[in-house]
Amino acid sequence: MDVAGVLAAVAIAHFLVAVSPGPAFLVVVRSSVARTRLAGLCTAVGLAAGSTLWAVAALFGLQALFAAVPWIYSVLKLAGATYLVWIGISLWRNAGVPIRETDYPAGGAGLLAALRLGLVTQLANPKAAIFFGSIFVTMLPADPALATTVLLLLNVFLLECGWYGGLAASFSTGPVQRSYKRAKVWIDRAAGATLGAFGVKLAADR
């Protein structure tokens, strides 16, 4: 398979996983409807950066390390699960708090917080390294050229930026944000419960 074919195959497999509803979907949507479009876009960039870091780790053999030393994977998975549960509990507890009191800090600090939310949420799932490792082993040559590796990582980053950035743009429109404000308590509780469930599932999965 040539370089273009490899990139296309990886992109298709990655896209099918990215569009599946999960913690990343929830955090970028909530950042967009509860904050601003720019905050949602920063969360999207953080998510893309997190996936790219897992892809880099997979290229350097993290999947093989997990197989050789399973407790490292277990520790990372438990830490990620704890973070997701914590986010879920925070959303549930603050569901009744007006948005102005739970908003990000103004200016650059708020955008950095949004970016960090996306990054840490994506890094909370070490299964991403196993996913990338699996498709890289299947589709990449044993010793890929540097240019291929760079294009592959850029492909991962841009695909996630495009998908989650599109979600941010879609959910940060005025009508959607007004609907969110009217139903904030129930939406935040549903999002909190779902994120908590994702965390529990991550911890329980073998």
Side-chain angles (χ1 to χ4, degrees):
M1 188 182 295
D2 60 14
V3 174
V6 169
L7 293 177
V10 171
I12 291 171
H14 180 200
F15 181 74
L16 292 175
V17 171
V19 300
S20 302
F25 177 90
L26 286 175
V27 296
V28 75
V29 166
R30 190 181 181 281
S31 286
S32 304
V33 299
R35 321 295 184 183
T36 63
R37 176 168 299 178
L38 190 54
L41 291 173
C42 285
T43 303
V45 171
L47 291 166
S51 282
T52 305
L53 287 175
W54 279 129
V56 170
L59 285 170
F60 280 91
L62 187 61
Q63 182 190 24
L65 178 62
F66 285 164
V69 191
W71 67 265
I72 295 178
Y73 173 71
S74 298
V75 169
L76 288 176
K77 189 173 68 167
L78 183 59
T82 301
Y83 173 77
L84 292 178
V85 170
W86 176 74
I87 290 290
I89 291 172
S90 297
L91 278 176
W92 183 281
R93 291 180 62 185
N94 292 312
V97 180
I99 291 175
R100 65 179 182 275
E101 297 179 23
T102 57
D103 207 358
Y104 289 126
L111 298 180
L112 182 61
L115 189 147
R116 184 171 61 245
L117 173 65
L119 176 64
V120 178
T121 298
Q122 206 71 307
L123 293 180
N125 186 9
K127 287 186 175 182
I130 294 176
F131 163 74
F132 284 118
S134 299
I135 61 173
F136 291 166
V137 166
T138 304
M139 300 176 183
L140 287 179
D143 188 21
L146 178 61
T148 301
T149 301
V150 171
L151 286 173
L152 185 65
L153 295 176
L154 186 62
N155 196 27
V156 169
F157 182 79
L158 292 178
L159 187 150
E160 295 230 347
C161 276
W163 169 243
Y164 292 120
L167 287 177
S170 299
F171 282 90
S172 58
T173 60
V176 174
Q177 289 184 330
R178 288 192 291 272
S179 297
Y180 167 76
K181 290 177 182 178
R182 289 194 295 268
K184 178 182 183 297
V185 172
W186 302 109
I187 292 173
D188 279 8
R189 285 181 177 171
T194 304
L195 278 173
F198 278 126
V200 172
K201 184 177 184 300
L202 178 61
D205 280 353
R206 298 294 180 182

